[in-house]
Amino acid sequence: MSTNIREKLADNVFFNEINVTRFKTMRLTAIALLPLEKDTASDFALLTQVLTRSCNEYPDFTALSKKLSSLYGASLSAGVRKVGESLALTFSIAGIDDRYALFGDEVSKELSDLLLKVIFEPKFTEGVFDTEEVEQERRQLIDLADSEYNDKRVYANSRLIETMCKNEAYGIKRYGSRETILKCTPESLKSAWERMLRCARFEVFYVGGASAEGAKEIFRDRFSQVLRAPEAMTTEIIRTASEVNRVEETMDIAQAKMLMGFRTDCSAGDEDAFAMRLMNVILGSGTRSKFFLNIREKQSLCYYCFSRYNRFKGILTVESGVENCNTQRTVDAVLNELEEVKKGNFTDEDLSLAKLSVSSDFLSLCDTVTGNEEWFVSQIADNEFLTVEETTEKFSKVTKEDIIRAANKLTLDTIYILSAKEEN
Amino acid sequence: MQVKEYVSEKLREKYYEIEHPTGLRIFVMPKEGYNSTYAIIGTPFGSINTEFDLKDGRVRVPDGIAHYLEHKLFESEDGDAFAKYAETGANANAYTSFDKTCYLFSCTEQFEKSLSILLELVTKPYFTEETVRKEQGIIGQEIKMYEDSPEWRVLFNLLGAMYHNHPVKVDIAGSIESIAEITPDSLYTCYNSYYNLHNMALSVVGNVNVDEVVDICDRYLFEQEKTEVKSIFPQEPYEVKSDYVEQIFPVAVPIFNLGFKLKADRLHNEEELAHLDILLFMLASSTSPMYRELMDKNLINSTFSYEMFEGGGYSAILFSGESRAPEKVAEIIKTYFDKAKIEGLDAKDFADAKKATYGDALSSLNSVETIANMLEDFYFSGRKVFDYYDSIGSADANFAMKLLSEIDTKNASLSVVKGE
């Protein structure tokens, strides 16, 4: 089983080595955690794109792509995601393990070097990021932000969060808004880059069979040259909803999207967090859940209806796609299934199978390179990193009463409906 | 019973192919150090197989029936297969593509029980008027979900523009109208024709060994008489039906699919496939001059991608992405392909493209899921997995040029979905 050897390299900079020899590739990921703020989210999102487009040594994306292609088609990627009310800037490089190189090349060392160069040695023109490079990536980031509207399920989910968390930092999108993307400048990106190196909490993850010492030493060396001043990060948890907010919008689409957002009065680190995660499995996650068995299979209301618990923000969301005329029926059905769990109308077998299902999913996760990384990345805002066994152990202690107590903590905050325009 | 072993020293992998006495073809690749096992069983019955010849005559079934059958096989007289899988902790699913239907699970314990559920699921059909009717609501909503997906729409609009008659142009799930015609009888007709063990293949990869798999198959499967079934496809002209198609849909960024229609009298073999992958990497990946020009002119963004798309009676190279000027994108792509035909391929770039294609293919051998799906796909396409990897290593530019000469950029369709 995968274990994580964690070492502090500098103030709030950690290197996590997950040594596994069964894969043919390696992966190195650096995550920088920063506060999610309205004025800087776009700068950080754009920064990740600009940094992985070129660097001082490979000054445009064709040169960088060619370098990657000569390293057996290695991939360099970047992105931003929200973890509670923090923004996680992610920089990853992945490529083949040295053992499989056709000409005995030391690929993993070159890959580690390249990732460091991309983060620490950007291409600057007159002391700031190159204007043309910034414009190229700005155009693409605007496309990325706009294309959220293309996918109606993503769009509806985004509208739910925006509506429900309008007065919280969590309501800010990971790319910011079109307006804030337009405000970014080569100078503001440079400030964001400096702030990232100085103030972010860094978690570096290495998954592979070769030794990670080389990569670790370069990170240590780079950060020894940075005057670190890590910032504190917090997430506002609204424990209960005072009233139900209902928003309905229409669009020229075929199927209505029905979404609900609950406050859970339970977030990462709380005693009931493990119970809440299992409660979510019993209620609405997977093919044995109440939603699947009753709302889909018995009532034939939908093709998909599921719930998701976000412990870092303390919310639980429900999504479904239904006929326009069935939206209220589906809202009622969801509340009804929740009521059943609250009353304890589920069996001990339901609980033990939910435990079996999560532990099996966890073990399977360790059979892919990204799964090994994701296992630890997904705990980045927890107080501690647990192994699969330790997590399974925590789940095994959850009782039926714990599930009932967890379910009873839920209060409905927002219903968001995107309905299809009625045909005349 | 014949057990064949395939070994690749270079990839440090081996797998086994077994002709089971029941007629089932079995592939097993043990993976040391893995926790999980992934098993998938498939039949070459997909959305395009709506017309076929049986011993006693030709049959025409409603569009979307392969997918409908996939849903219905999860139910049996003694309950739902998902519920049975839950007891083993396995994660189960199924999918229907253009040319096949597959049922799968992954598990970390109780492999035997999970595999027996999978084998029972595909060998013991149970449909009644009522259970068939119940599914209409669920699949109806699945069809509508896809109607709201611009990526799905732009693809099927493209297929409709490229193909005059071939059923690849029909939505995999069919339509609300076509699925209303599906009855228990028509489902049994399809089932009896295609879900015969002689037509099917099982691939198992992960924490498992050959004896285990064969032993379970020995116990849960029975010999079957081989059925004769032949899929019939209508005559399809070489030329595309139309070179442009457009749909107005609420999208913020317009999306496009460009397809070069190829001759499809047979599937490409391993060697051809490897060369096509290298060729497309050279011409269209982010390292290519074409990609560079499209980016510099602000015509594409990082969603740009390409793929080889082929199956029984259809073959095409597809490009997709978001663009505010899709017609210009299509023009530039065509120009670069035509130019490469005249100027040839740079030796250094070809060597790098070989390495990159090898690295990419190598990474697929990490995942039990990817390997099992690859074993299944390759079997139904008449290809051998390690031969594909060997072909990448020994690829040569002259053969790639020959394949390039077969790509006719004038035989192309462009599909666009844009907002009002």
Side-chain angles (χ1 to χ4, degrees), chain B residues 331-366:
Chain B
E331 207 45 58
I332 291 173
I333 294 174
K334 289 177 188 173
T335 310
Y336 273 95
F337 272 73
D338 289 339
K339 210 167 94 182
K341 283 184 194 173
I342 298 164
E343 294 177 357
L345 305 170
D346 177 82
K348 165 89 171 62
D349 288 350
F350 190 80
D352 275 352
K354 259 167 87 165
K355 273 171 115 182
T357 307
Y358 170 74
D360 185 48
L362 189 70
S363 70
S364 3
L365 294 174
N366 279 337

Side-chain angles (χ1 to χ4, degrees), chain B residues 310-321:
Chain B
E310 69 172 354
Y314 62 93
S315 180
I317 295 170
L318 306 186
F319 303 88
S320 61

Side-chain angles (χ1 to χ4, degrees), chain B residues 57-323:
Chain B
R58 184 159 295 185
V59 181
R60 168 88 182 112
V61 289
D63 290 340
I65 196 162
H67 171 256
Y68 210 96
L69 182 55
E70 173 223 301
H71 272 239
K72 288 328 298 173
L73 278 184
F74 270 82
E75 266 169 44
S76 65
E77 216 165 347
D78 60 345
D80 173 86
F82 281 126
K84 295 179 192 165
Y85 277 122
E87 287 171 26
T88 70
N91 214 326
N93 213 336
Y95 65 85
T96 307
S97 66
F98 292 106
D99 53 7
K100 61 183 183 305
T101 310
C102 295
Y103 302 80
L104 55 100
F105 70 83
S106 78
C107 69
T108 52
E109 48 186 291
Q110 301 189 55
F111 169 69
E112 177 179 343
K113 195 169 168 205
S114 300
L115 184 58
S116 73
I117 297 168
L118 180 71
L119 297 176
E120 286 209 338
L121 183 158
V122 293
T123 51
K124 293 191 178 155
Y126 172 73
F127 327 118
T128 65
E129 288 285 349
E130 194 202 330
T131 63
V132 171
R133 201 175 326 109
K134 185 212 81 178
E135 208 68 23
Q136 276 188 20
I138 298 171
I139 296 181
Q141 288 312 311
E142 187 177 1
I143 291 172
K144 288 202 161 183
M145 178 181 86
Y146 280 112
E147 269 182 53
D148 283 344
S149 159
E151 282 83 16
W152 198 249
R153 296 276 54 88
V154 79
L155 172 65
F156 279 92
N157 293 347
L158 175 82
L159 295 174
M162 281 203 293
Y163 291 91
H164 298 254
N165 307 315
H166 196 286
V168 71
K169 66 182 184 170
V170 179
D171 228 307
I172 289 175
S175 63
I176 305 278
E177 294 74 29
S178 76
I179 63 168
E181 294 168 27
I182 293 170
T183 61
D185 272 355
S186 57
L187 289 173
Y188 276 116
T189 302
C190 295
Y191 177 83
N192 291 327
S193 311
Y194 284 94
Y195 284 70
N196 179 286
L197 294 177
H198 293 270
N199 287 329
M200 302 176 78
L202 167 71
S203 298
V204 187
V205 181
N207 181 12
V208 72
N209 63 57
V210 176
D211 294 343
E212 228 179 322
V213 177
V214 171
D215 180 57
I216 299 167
C217 289
D218 286 348
R219 280 185 288 126
Y220 289 92
L221 296 175
F222 299 96
E223 269 185 56
Q224 283 184 338
E225 200 185 321
K226 189 173 179 178
T227 49
E228 295 298 334
V229 55
K230 187 172 182 295
S231 286
I232 302 297
F233 299 114
Q235 188 66 33
E236 175 63 33
Y238 168 71
E239 291 78 24
V240 298
K241 185 175 174 216
S242 134
D243 59 7
Y244 184 77
V245 57
E246 179 182 295
Q247 183 184 343
I248 303 294
F249 186 77
V251 289
V253 190
I255 59 173
F256 71 90
N257 270 192
L258 168 70
F260 293 152
K261 186 176 177 184
L262 306 178
K263 249 195 253 160
D265 40 359
R266 63 174 182 87
L267 294 176
H268 289 100
N269 63 30
E270 302 87 342
E271 196 188 5
E272 291 164 330
L273 194 65
H275 281 81
L276 281 167
D277 286 345
I278 296 167
L279 182 69
L280 289 177
F281 184 90
M282 274 190 85
L283 296 178
S285 76
S286 59
T287 59
S288 66
M290 176 189 102
Y291 188 90
R292 177 70 190 250
E293 181 175 344
L294 290 168
M295 273 289 181
D296 284 350
K297 291 189 167 159
N298 297 338
L299 290 171
I300 56 167
N301 56 34
S302 59
T303 59
F304 182 77
S305 68
Y306 57 86
E307 65 167 309
M308 189 60 217
F309 175 81
E310 69 172 354
Y314 62 93
S315 180
I317 295 170
L318 306 186
F319 303 88
S320 61
E322 298 173 351
S323 177

Side-chain angles (χ1 to χ4, degrees), chain A residues 361-381:
Chain A
D361 286 353
F362 293 161
L363 283 169
S364 303
L365 205 56
C366 299
D367 280 348
T368 64
V369 176
T370 45
N372 271 283
E373 181 184 295
E374 188 53 33
W375 171 256
F376 292 105
V377 171
S378 67
Q379 302 179 67
I380 205 163

Side-chain angles (χ1 to χ4, degrees), chain A residues 28-129:
Chain A
L28 183 64
T29 292
I31 296 184
L33 281 161
L34 287 147
L36 175 63
E37 306 155 335
K38 193 163 171 259
D39 295 333
T40 57
S42 295
D43 278 314
F44 286 127
L46 192 53
L47 176 68
T48 59
Q49 299 310 118
V50 172
L51 285 178
T52 43
R53 177 189 166 83
S54 63
C55 62
N56 201 25
E57 190 170 340
Y58 303 99
D60 62 62
F61 81 84
T62 311
L64 188 56
S65 298
K66 286 207 163 171
K67 177 66 190 168
L68 291 164
S69 142
S70 74
L71 292 170
Y72 296 88
S75 69
L76 175 67
S77 56
V80 280
R81 61 164 129 178
K82 290 197 282 192
V83 180
E85 290 175 351
S86 299
L87 201 55
L89 283 53
T90 307
F91 306 91
S92 296
I93 198 155
I96 68 168
D97 187 286
D98 295 350
R99 288 170 297 164
Y100 296 93
L102 293 171
F103 313 107
D105 359 8
E106 265 189 77
V107 186
S108 62
K109 183 174 180 316
E110 285 213 56
L111 293 178
S112 307
D113 279 345
L114 191 56
L115 184 68
L116 268 299
K117 280 178 186 157
V118 155
I119 297 172
F120 285 91
E121 295 170 26
K123 173 188 168 189
F124 282 152
T125 310
E126 293 170 12
V128 288
F129 284 97

